[in-house]
C-alpha cells in the first residue's frame, strides 16, 4: 500500500477538484500547476500502486484503462493527440507517490516546459 498522498485525499473528497472523467477504477482531473494548455492527470482510485512500474506488474488491465481514459480526454479537450508522461522516481521529478499519468496536449499553443 502506498503512503497517503494528496491524490488519496482527492479520491476521498477531502481535497476538492473537478473530475473530468470517472470510471469504476479511474478518475481524471486538471493538474493544479499546468505545464501545457491541456494538462490533465489520470489516476487509479486504488492507493495500492506508487508508480507505473508497480502498476504494470500488479494490474496491467488497470494501466490499460488509464490509457483508454487518456485517449478519450485527448479527443474531448484536444485534437486526439497527446503525450502521456509517467514520472517514476523522485530523481526524475515524481513528487506524488500514487501512480498518475500526465496527459499533455495542444502544444502548438505553447512550448513544453517542466518535463
Ligand atoms: P509528479 O511530479 O509527476 O509526481 O506530478 C504530480 C503533479 O500533481 C504535479 O504536476 C502537481 O502540479 C500536481 N498536483 C499536486 N497537487 C494537486 C492537486 N491538489 N490537484 C491537482 N494537481 C495536483
Amino acid at each position: 500500500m502506498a503512503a497517503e498522498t494528496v491524490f488519496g485525499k482527492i479520491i476521498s473528497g477531502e481535497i476538492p477538484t473537478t473530475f473530468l472523467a470517472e470510471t469504476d477504477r479511474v478518475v481524471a482531473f486538471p493538474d493544479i500547476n499546468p505545464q501545457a494548455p491541456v494538462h490533465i492527470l489520470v489516476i487509479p482510485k486504488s492507493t495500492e500502486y506508487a508508480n507505473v512500474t508497480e502498476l504494470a506488474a500488479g494490474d496491467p488491465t488497470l494501466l490499460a484503462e488509464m490509457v483508454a481514459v487518456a485517449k478519450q480526454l485527448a479527443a474531448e479537450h484536444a485534437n486526439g493527440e497527446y503525450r502521456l508522461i509517467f514520472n517514476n522516481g523522485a530523481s526524475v521529478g515524481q513528487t506524488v507517490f500514487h501512480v498518475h499519468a500526465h496527459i499533455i496536449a495542444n502544444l502548438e499553443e505553447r512550448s513544453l516546459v517542466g518535463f
Side-chain angles (χ1 to χ4, degrees), residues 87-98:
N87 292 325
N88 195 131
S91 71
V92 295
Q94 187 176 5
T95 59
V96 180
F97 293 88
H98 174 137

Side-chain angles (χ1 to χ4, degrees), residues 13-81:
E14 193 177 330
I15 294 178
T17 187
T18 301
F19 286 161
L20 301 175
E22 181 170 11
T23 70
D24 285 350
R25 300 212 291 162
V26 171
V27 293
F29 49 89
D31 195 291
I32 204 168
N33 183 25
Q35 302 298 310
V38 173
H39 187 172
I40 298 168
L41 300 175
V42 183
I43 69 172
K45 291 178 180 175
S46 169
T47 58
E48 188 174 351
Y49 304 105
N51 59 55
V52 69
T53 305
E54 290 182 8
L55 177 62
D59 194 342
T61 303
L62 181 53
L63 175 57
E65 188 170 330
M66 290 172 65
V67 176
V69 169
K71 175 190 174 189
Q72 173 198 324
L73 286 165
E76 290 173 7
H77 295 269
N79 64 357
E81 298 179 347

